[in-house]
mmCIF file of all heavy atoms in Angstrom:
data_model
loop_
_atom_site.group_PDB
_atom_site.id
_atom_site.type_symbol
_atom_site.label_atom_id
_atom_site.label_comp_id
_atom_site.label_asym_id
_atom_site.label_seq_id
_atom_site.Cartn_x
_atom_site.Cartn_y
_atom_site.Cartn_z
ATOM 1 N N ALA A 1 0.837 -1.225 -0.039
ATOM 2 C CA ALA A 1 -0.022 -0.005 -0.039
ATOM 3 C C ALA A 1 0.842 1.228 0.001
ATOM 4 O O ALA A 1 0.363 2.332 -0.420
ATOM 5 C CB ALA A 1 -0.959 0.005 1.200
ATOM 6 N N HIS A 2 2.064 1.191 0.407
ATOM 7 C CA HIS A 2 2.944 2.337 0.510
ATOM 8 C C HIS A 2 3.773 2.573 -0.775
ATOM 9 O O HIS A 2 4.523 3.506 -0.889
ATOM 10 C CB HIS A 2 3.930 2.142 1.624
ATOM 11 C CG HIS A 2 4.772 0.920 1.610
ATOM 12 N ND1 HIS A 2 4.240 -0.327 1.365
ATOM 13 C CD2 HIS A 2 6.135 0.745 1.658
ATOM 14 C CE1 HIS A 2 5.234 -1.262 1.356
ATOM 15 N NE2 HIS A 2 6.355 -0.598 1.510
ATOM 16 N N GLY A 3 3.533 1.726 -1.810
ATOM 17 C CA GLY A 3 4.438 1.742 -2.951
ATOM 18 C C GLY A 3 3.839 2.266 -4.235
ATOM 19 O O GLY A 3 4.593 2.405 -5.271
ATOM 20 N N LEU A 4 2.531 2.672 -4.291
ATOM 21 C CA LEU A 4 1.929 3.016 -5.586
ATOM 22 C C LEU A 4 2.448 4.219 -6.234
ATOM 23 O O LEU A 4 2.741 4.202 -7.466
ATOM 24 C CB LEU A 4 0.429 3.142 -5.371
ATOM 25 C CG LEU A 4 -0.407 1.883 -5.347
ATOM 26 C CD1 LEU A 4 0.045 0.817 -4.265
ATOM 27 C CD2 LEU A 4 -1.844 2.196 -5.173
ATOM 28 N N VAL A 5 2.820 5.193 -5.444
ATOM 29 C CA VAL A 5 3.220 6.502 -6.013
ATOM 30 C C VAL A 5 4.759 6.584 -5.790
ATOM 31 O O VAL A 5 5.302 6.293 -4.753
ATOM 32 C CB VAL A 5 2.527 7.674 -5.343
ATOM 33 C CG1 VAL A 5 3.122 9.010 -5.779
ATOM 34 C CG2 VAL A 5 1.069 7.569 -5.619
ATOM 35 N N LYS A 6 5.441 6.992 -6.825
ATOM 36 C CA LYS A 6 6.905 7.245 -6.856
ATOM 37 C C LYS A 6 7.284 8.740 -6.848
ATOM 38 O O LYS A 6 6.454 9.559 -7.357
ATOM 39 C CB LYS A 6 7.593 6.551 -8.015
ATOM 40 C CG LYS A 6 7.754 5.041 -7.845
ATOM 41 C CD LYS A 6 6.541 4.198 -7.757
ATOM 42 C CE LYS A 6 6.873 2.734 -7.811
ATOM 43 N NZ LYS A 6 5.588 1.912 -7.690
ATOM 44 N N ALA A 7 8.351 9.081 -6.382
ATOM 45 C CA ALA A 7 8.766 10.511 -6.340
ATOM 46 C C ALA A 7 8.987 11.034 -7.764
ATOM 47 O O ALA A 7 9.455 10.260 -8.588
ATOM 48 C CB ALA A 7 10.056 10.673 -5.529
ATOM 49 N N PRO A 8 8.638 12.243 -8.037
ATOM 50 C CA PRO A 8 8.798 12.817 -9.349
ATOM 51 C C PRO A 8 10.261 12.734 -9.815
ATOM 52 O O PRO A 8 11.162 12.937 -9.034
ATOM 53 C CB PRO A 8 8.373 14.309 -9.230
ATOM 54 C CG PRO A 8 7.402 14.198 -8.005
ATOM 55 C CD PRO A 8 7.930 13.218 -7.091
ATOM 56 N N GLY A 9 10.422 12.338 -11.027
ATOM 57 C CA GLY A 9 11.810 12.243 -11.604
ATOM 58 C C GLY A 9 12.497 10.959 -11.253
ATOM 59 O O GLY A 9 13.616 10.657 -11.796
ATOM 60 N N LEU A 10 11.946 10.071 -10.480
ATOM 61 C CA LEU A 10 12.515 8.807 -10.040
ATOM 62 C C LEU A 10 14.019 8.982 -9.718
ATOM 63 O O LEU A 10 14.898 8.368 -10.312
ATOM 64 C CB LEU A 10 12.412 7.797 -11.142
ATOM 65 C CG LEU A 10 10.930 7.647 -11.771
ATOM 66 C CD1 LEU A 10 10.962 6.582 -12.854
ATOM 67 C CD2 LEU A 10 9.926 7.278 -10.641
ATOM 68 N N PRO A 11 14.361 9.787 -8.711
ATOM 69 C CA PRO A 11 15.715 10.013 -8.406
ATOM 70 C C PRO A 11 16.406 8.803 -7.898
ATOM 71 O O PRO A 11 15.817 7.908 -7.271
ATOM 72 C CB PRO A 11 15.672 11.102 -7.279
ATOM 73 C CG PRO A 11 14.292 10.946 -6.605
ATOM 74 C CD PRO A 11 13.432 10.508 -7.741
ATOM 75 N N ASP A 12 17.745 8.765 -8.037
ATOM 76 C CA ASP A 12 18.598 7.684 -7.556
ATOM 77 C C ASP A 12 18.370 7.582 -6.020
ATOM 78 O O ASP A 12 18.094 8.588 -5.302
ATOM 79 C CB ASP A 12 20.037 7.934 -7.814
ATOM 80 C CG ASP A 12 20.413 7.411 -9.252
ATOM 81 O OD1 ASP A 12 19.504 6.882 -9.916
ATOM 82 O OD2 ASP A 12 21.616 7.696 -9.675
ATOM 83 N N TRP A 13 18.598 6.395 -5.467
ATOM 84 C CA TRP A 13 18.516 6.173 -4.017
ATOM 85 C C TRP A 13 19.506 5.183 -3.629
ATOM 86 O O TRP A 13 19.554 4.044 -4.115
ATOM 87 C CB TRP A 13 17.103 5.716 -3.751
ATOM 88 C CG TRP A 13 16.845 5.282 -2.292
ATOM 89 C CD1 TRP A 13 16.873 3.984 -1.871
ATOM 90 C CD2 TRP A 13 16.802 6.075 -1.102
ATOM 91 N NE1 TRP A 13 16.671 3.950 -0.476
ATOM 92 C CE2 TRP A 13 16.629 5.233 -0.003
ATOM 93 C CE3 TRP A 13 16.814 7.469 -0.952
ATOM 94 C CZ2 TRP A 13 16.551 5.708 1.327
ATOM 95 C CZ3 TRP A 13 16.679 7.961 0.396
ATOM 96 C CH2 TRP A 13 16.522 7.075 1.409
ATOM 97 N N SER A 14 20.332 5.555 -2.716
ATOM 98 C CA SER A 14 21.371 4.661 -2.194
ATOM 99 C C SER A 14 21.220 4.301 -0.758
ATOM 100 O O SER A 14 22.071 3.588 -0.166
ATOM 101 C CB SER A 14 22.795 5.116 -2.467
ATOM 102 O OG SER A 14 23.022 5.287 -3.822
ATOM 103 N N GLY A 15 20.166 4.784 -0.199
ATOM 104 C CA GLY A 15 19.909 4.561 1.265
ATOM 105 C C GLY A 15 19.214 3.266 1.540
ATOM 106 O O GLY A 15 18.781 2.600 0.615
ATOM 107 N N GLU A 16 19.152 2.908 2.757
ATOM 108 C CA GLU A 16 18.334 1.688 3.173
ATOM 109 C C GLU A 16 17.390 2.129 4.152
ATOM 110 O O GLU A 16 17.466 3.024 4.989
ATOM 111 C CB GLU A 16 19.291 0.680 3.839
ATOM 112 C CG GLU A 16 20.203 0.068 2.745
ATOM 113 C CD GLU A 16 20.909 -1.146 3.292
ATOM 114 O OE1 GLU A 16 20.478 -1.633 4.324
ATOM 115 O OE2 GLU A 16 21.881 -1.677 2.654
ATOM 116 N N VAL A 17 16.163 1.441 4.072
ATOM 117 C CA VAL A 17 15.050 1.828 5.006
ATOM 118 C C VAL A 17 15.165 0.936 6.204
ATOM 119 O O VAL A 17 15.198 -0.307 6.155
ATOM 120 C CB VAL A 17 13.702 1.554 4.259
ATOM 121 C CG1 VAL A 17 12.549 1.938 5.150
ATOM 122 C CG2 VAL A 17 13.621 2.372 2.971
ATOM 123 N N GLU A 18 15.144 1.566 7.366
ATOM 124 C CA GLU A 18 15.172 0.830 8.717
ATOM 125 C C GLU A 18 13.749 0.698 9.093
ATOM 126 O O GLU A 18 13.089 1.721 9.393
ATOM 127 C CB GLU A 18 16.032 1.535 9.645
ATOM 128 C CG GLU A 18 16.039 0.950 11.001
ATOM 129 C CD GLU A 18 16.498 -0.473 10.988
ATOM 130 O OE1 GLU A 18 17.686 -0.704 10.602
ATOM 131 O OE2 GLU A 18 15.752 -1.361 11.357
ATOM 132 N N MET A 19 13.194 -0.488 9.199
ATOM 133 C CA MET A 19 11.790 -0.712 9.492
ATOM 134 C C MET A 19 11.546 -1.034 11.007
ATOM 135 O O MET A 19 10.461 -1.412 11.329
ATOM 136 C CB MET A 19 11.251 -1.814 8.656
ATOM 137 C CG MET A 19 11.106 -1.390 7.196
ATOM 138 S SD MET A 19 9.975 0.056 7.055
ATOM 139 C CE MET A 19 10.017 0.205 5.271
ATOM 140 N N VAL A 20 12.552 -0.802 11.804
ATOM 141 C CA VAL A 20 12.301 -1.016 13.234
ATOM 142 C C VAL A 20 11.542 0.094 13.784
ATOM 143 O O VAL A 20 12.017 1.305 13.692
ATOM 144 C CB VAL A 20 13.671 -1.244 14.017
ATOM 145 C CG1 VAL A 20 13.410 -1.364 15.456
ATOM 146 C CG2 VAL A 20 14.321 -2.508 13.523
ATOM 147 N N GLU A 21 10.433 -0.102 14.438
ATOM 148 C CA GLU A 21 9.597 1.020 14.956
ATOM 149 C C GLU A 21 10.438 1.827 16.014
ATOM 150 O O GLU A 21 11.198 1.263 16.808
ATOM 151 C CB GLU A 21 8.408 0.429 15.630
ATOM 152 C CG GLU A 21 7.531 1.501 16.360
ATOM 153 C CD GLU A 21 7.288 2.715 15.526
ATOM 154 O OE1 GLU A 21 7.072 2.622 14.309
ATOM 155 O OE2 GLU A 21 7.314 3.807 16.095
ATOM 156 N N GLY A 22 10.187 3.127 15.958
ATOM 157 C CA GLY A 22 10.930 3.981 16.810
ATOM 158 C C GLY A 22 12.106 4.644 16.130
ATOM 159 O O GLY A 22 12.594 5.645 16.655
ATOM 160 N N ALA A 23 12.481 4.091 14.950
ATOM 161 C CA ALA A 23 13.608 4.771 14.233
ATOM 162 C C ALA A 23 13.095 6.064 13.710
ATOM 163 O O ALA A 23 11.966 6.339 13.472
ATOM 164 C CB ALA A 23 14.075 3.809 13.140
ATOM 165 N N GLU A 24 14.088 6.934 13.484
ATOM 166 C CA GLU A 24 13.737 8.198 12.798
ATOM 167 C C GLU A 24 13.413 7.875 11.311
ATOM 168 O O GLU A 24 13.702 6.770 10.829
ATOM 169 C CB GLU A 24 14.903 9.225 12.898
ATOM 170 C CG GLU A 24 15.220 9.543 14.286
ATOM 171 C CD GLU A 24 14.061 10.226 14.998
ATOM 172 O OE1 GLU A 24 13.350 10.987 14.331
ATOM 173 O OE2 GLU A 24 13.816 9.975 16.199
ATOM 174 N N GLU A 25 12.873 8.883 10.597
ATOM 175 C CA GLU A 25 12.717 8.676 9.208
ATOM 176 C C GLU A 25 14.049 8.341 8.536
ATOM 177 O O GLU A 25 15.089 8.857 8.818
ATOM 178 C CB GLU A 25 12.140 9.886 8.516
ATOM 179 C CG GLU A 25 10.662 10.112 8.857
ATOM 180 C CD GLU A 25 9.992 11.142 8.017
ATOM 181 O OE1 GLU A 25 10.713 11.693 7.126
ATOM 182 O OE2 GLU A 25 8.786 11.444 8.236
ATOM 183 N N PRO A 26 14.046 7.268 7.635
ATOM 184 C CA PRO A 26 15.312 6.842 7.075
ATOM 185 C C PRO A 26 16.007 7.915 6.279
ATOM 186 O O PRO A 26 15.319 8.692 5.578
ATOM 187 C CB PRO A 26 14.860 5.630 6.156
ATOM 188 C CG PRO A 26 13.396 5.953 5.873
ATOM 189 C CD PRO A 26 12.896 6.557 7.068
ATOM 190 N N ALA A 27 17.212 8.017 6.429
ATOM 191 C CA ALA A 27 18.061 8.901 5.655
ATOM 192 C C ALA A 27 18.706 8.212 4.537
ATOM 193 O O ALA A 27 18.910 7.039 4.524
ATOM 194 C CB ALA A 27 19.059 9.593 6.512
ATOM 195 N N GLY A 28 19.151 8.904 3.436
ATOM 196 C CA GLY A 28 19.818 8.250 2.314
ATOM 197 C C GLY A 28 20.613 9.257 1.554
ATOM 198 O O GLY A 28 20.667 10.434 1.848
ATOM 199 N N VAL A 29 21.362 8.758 0.612
ATOM 200 C CA VAL A 29 22.155 9.665 -0.263
ATOM 201 C C VAL A 29 21.929 9.301 -1.676
ATOM 202 O O VAL A 29 21.536 8.158 -1.989
ATOM 203 C CB VAL A 29 23.654 9.541 0.095
ATOM 204 C CG1 VAL A 29 23.995 10.001 1.473
ATOM 205 C CG2 VAL A 29 24.052 8.019 -0.030
ATOM 206 N N THR A 30 22.059 10.267 -2.533
ATOM 207 C CA THR A 30 21.904 9.949 -3.952
ATOM 208 C C THR A 30 23.234 9.383 -4.447
ATOM 209 O O THR A 30 24.259 9.269 -3.747
ATOM 210 C CB THR A 30 21.614 11.293 -4.717
ATOM 211 O OG1 THR A 30 22.639 12.230 -4.383
ATOM 212 C CG2 THR A 30 20.296 11.839 -4.280
ATOM 213 N N ALA A 31 23.241 9.003 -5.731
ATOM 214 C CA ALA A 31 24.395 8.266 -6.293
ATOM 215 C C ALA A 31 25.674 9.092 -6.162
ATOM 216 O O ALA A 31 26.791 8.578 -6.003
ATOM 217 C CB ALA A 31 24.182 7.880 -7.759
ATOM 218 N N ASP A 32 25.616 10.479 -6.271
ATOM 219 C CA ASP A 32 26.800 11.266 -6.226
ATOM 220 C C ASP A 32 27.153 11.620 -4.748
ATOM 221 O O ASP A 32 28.077 12.384 -4.532
ATOM 222 C CB ASP A 32 26.561 12.586 -7.053
ATOM 223 C CG ASP A 32 25.478 13.429 -6.477
ATOM 224 O OD1 ASP A 32 24.888 13.086 -5.416
ATOM 225 O OD2 ASP A 32 25.223 14.469 -7.070
ATOM 226 N N GLY A 33 26.418 11.019 -3.745
ATOM 227 C CA GLY A 33 26.856 11.256 -2.409
ATOM 228 C C GLY A 33 26.166 12.422 -1.709
ATOM 229 O O GLY A 33 26.401 12.656 -0.552
ATOM 230 N N SER A 34 25.275 13.105 -2.461
ATOM 231 C CA SER A 34 24.578 14.250 -1.846
ATOM 232 C C SER A 34 23.398 13.770 -1.078
ATOM 233 O O SER A 34 22.914 12.623 -1.241
ATOM 234 C CB SER A 34 24.110 15.231 -2.906
ATOM 235 O OG SER A 34 23.197 14.551 -3.846
ATOM 236 N N PRO A 35 22.859 14.566 -0.163
ATOM 237 C CA PRO A 35 21.762 14.108 0.702
ATOM 238 C C PRO A 35 20.549 13.711 -0.206
ATOM 239 O O PRO A 35 20.219 14.416 -1.212
ATOM 240 C CB PRO A 35 21.424 15.245 1.570
ATOM 241 C CG PRO A 35 22.687 16.000 1.594
ATOM 242 C CD PRO A 35 23.318 15.890 0.278
ATOM 243 N N GLY A 36 19.963 12.643 0.260
ATOM 244 C CA GLY A 36 18.798 12.141 -0.575
ATOM 245 C C GLY A 36 17.428 12.432 0.128
ATOM 246 O O GLY A 36 17.325 13.233 1.024
ATOM 247 N N HIS A 37 16.358 11.886 -0.403
ATOM 248 C CA HIS A 37 15.045 12.087 0.170
ATOM 249 C C HIS A 37 15.082 11.550 1.554
ATOM 250 O O HIS A 37 15.785 10.561 1.887
ATOM 251 C CB HIS A 37 13.984 11.309 -0.640
ATOM 252 C CG HIS A 37 13.753 12.020 -1.947
ATOM 253 N ND1 HIS A 37 12.482 12.583 -2.234
ATOM 254 C CD2 HIS A 37 14.461 12.235 -3.123
ATOM 255 C CE1 HIS A 37 12.494 13.103 -3.441
ATOM 256 N NE2 HIS A 37 13.701 12.909 -4.032
ATOM 257 N N ALA A 38 14.183 12.128 2.444
ATOM 258 C CA ALA A 38 14.102 11.646 3.793
ATOM 259 C C ALA A 38 13.466 10.244 3.818
ATOM 260 O O ALA A 38 13.613 9.440 4.650
ATOM 261 C CB ALA A 38 13.158 12.559 4.628
ATOM 262 N N ARG A 39 12.724 9.920 2.765
ATOM 263 C CA ARG A 39 12.123 8.649 2.552
ATOM 264 C C ARG A 39 12.511 8.096 1.164
ATOM 265 O O ARG A 39 12.757 8.886 0.333
ATOM 266 C CB ARG A 39 10.588 8.680 2.688
ATOM 267 C CG ARG A 39 10.047 9.050 4.068
ATOM 268 C CD ARG A 39 8.516 9.119 4.057
ATOM 269 N NE ARG A 39 8.032 10.066 3.117
ATOM 270 C CZ ARG A 39 7.987 11.408 3.295
ATOM 271 N NH1 ARG A 39 8.553 11.932 4.385
ATOM 272 N NH2 ARG A 39 7.469 12.178 2.432
ATOM 273 N N PRO A 40 12.553 6.731 1.011
ATOM 274 C CA PRO A 40 12.945 6.280 -0.266
ATOM 275 C C PRO A 40 11.947 6.733 -1.317
ATOM 276 O O PRO A 40 10.775 6.766 -1.117
ATOM 277 C CB PRO A 40 12.828 4.744 -0.097
ATOM 278 C CG PRO A 40 12.848 4.501 1.354
ATOM 279 C CD PRO A 40 12.319 5.737 2.041
ATOM 280 N N PRO A 41 12.441 7.144 -2.573
ATOM 281 C CA PRO A 41 11.549 7.783 -3.508
ATOM 282 C C PRO A 41 10.562 6.770 -4.143
ATOM 283 O O PRO A 41 9.627 7.224 -4.855
ATOM 284 C CB PRO A 41 12.531 8.188 -4.566
ATOM 285 C CG PRO A 41 13.680 7.439 -4.364
ATOM 286 C CD PRO A 41 13.854 7.114 -2.945
ATOM 287 N N MET A 42 10.678 5.476 -3.875
ATOM 288 C CA MET A 42 9.737 4.538 -4.315
ATOM 289 C C MET A 42 8.693 4.097 -3.345
ATOM 290 O O MET A 42 7.789 3.362 -3.690
ATOM 291 C CB MET A 42 10.519 3.281 -4.881
ATOM 292 C CG MET A 42 11.126 2.361 -3.753
ATOM 293 S SD MET A 42 12.613 3.105 -2.994
ATOM 294 C CE MET A 42 13.785 3.104 -4.298
ATOM 295 N N PHE A 43 8.805 4.539 -2.131
ATOM 296 C CA PHE A 43 7.828 4.132 -1.097
ATOM 297 C C PHE A 43 7.401 5.339 -0.229
ATOM 298 O O PHE A 43 8.048 6.320 -0.003
ATOM 299 C CB PHE A 43 8.432 3.158 -0.149
ATOM 300 C CG PHE A 43 8.773 1.801 -0.808
ATOM 301 C CD1 PHE A 43 9.977 1.155 -0.642
ATOM 302 C CD2 PHE A 43 7.833 1.216 -1.506
ATOM 303 C CE1 PHE A 43 10.266 -0.075 -1.226
ATOM 304 C CE2 PHE A 43 8.089 -0.069 -2.159
ATOM 305 C CZ PHE A 43 9.284 -0.710 -2.028
ATOM 306 N N ASP A 44 6.071 5.151 0.268
ATOM 307 C CA ASP A 44 5.531 6.066 1.283
ATOM 308 C C ASP A 44 5.506 7.569 0.831
ATOM 309 O O ASP A 44 5.797 8.459 1.554
ATOM 310 C CB ASP A 44 6.234 6.018 2.619
ATOM 311 C CG ASP A 44 5.437 6.621 3.766
ATOM 312 O OD1 ASP A 44 4.219 6.672 3.688
ATOM 313 O OD2 ASP A 44 6.151 7.045 4.684
ATOM 314 N N GLN A 45 5.169 7.711 -0.419
ATOM 315 C CA GLN A 45 5.076 9.083 -0.965
ATOM 316 C C GLN A 45 3.633 9.604 -0.586
ATOM 317 O O GLN A 45 2.643 8.833 -0.571
ATOM 318 C CB GLN A 45 5.242 9.198 -2.512
ATOM 319 C CG GLN A 45 6.569 8.626 -2.893
ATOM 320 C CD GLN A 45 7.784 9.549 -2.375
ATOM 321 O OE1 GLN A 45 7.789 10.731 -2.660
ATOM 322 N NE2 GLN A 45 8.643 8.892 -1.611
ATOM 323 N N ASP A 46 3.553 10.907 -0.370
ATOM 324 C CA ASP A 46 2.250 11.468 0.143
ATOM 325 C C ASP A 46 1.120 11.279 -0.851
ATOM 326 O O ASP A 46 -0.046 11.202 -0.443
ATOM 327 C CB ASP A 46 2.514 12.943 0.470
ATOM 328 C CG ASP A 46 3.406 13.236 1.618
ATOM 329 O OD1 ASP A 46 3.537 12.315 2.421
ATOM 330 O OD2 ASP A 46 3.852 14.368 1.813
#
């Protein structure tokens, strides 16, 4: 249910999603090492 909508532009994603409750929103980096979306661009989009 969290996967239907993808982030515009389908940006690269090199982070990993931590699914243990209580964790902060997962952080990630793009392929060039710059900060990525707070959430994976393929999941949990508004």
Side-chain angles (χ1 to χ4, degrees):
H2 57 308
L4 278 56
V5 174
K6 279 68 174 176
L10 309 182
D12 277 356
W13 171 256
S14 298
E16 294 195 8
V17 181
E18 178 58 61
M19 289 300 180
V20 175
E21 173 49 37
E24 298 299 322
E25 287 193 1
V29 294
T30 56
D32 63 1
S34 59
H37 287 248
R39 293 180 302 282
M42 71 289 292
F43 291 133
D44 194 29
Q45 300 299 301
D46 289 342

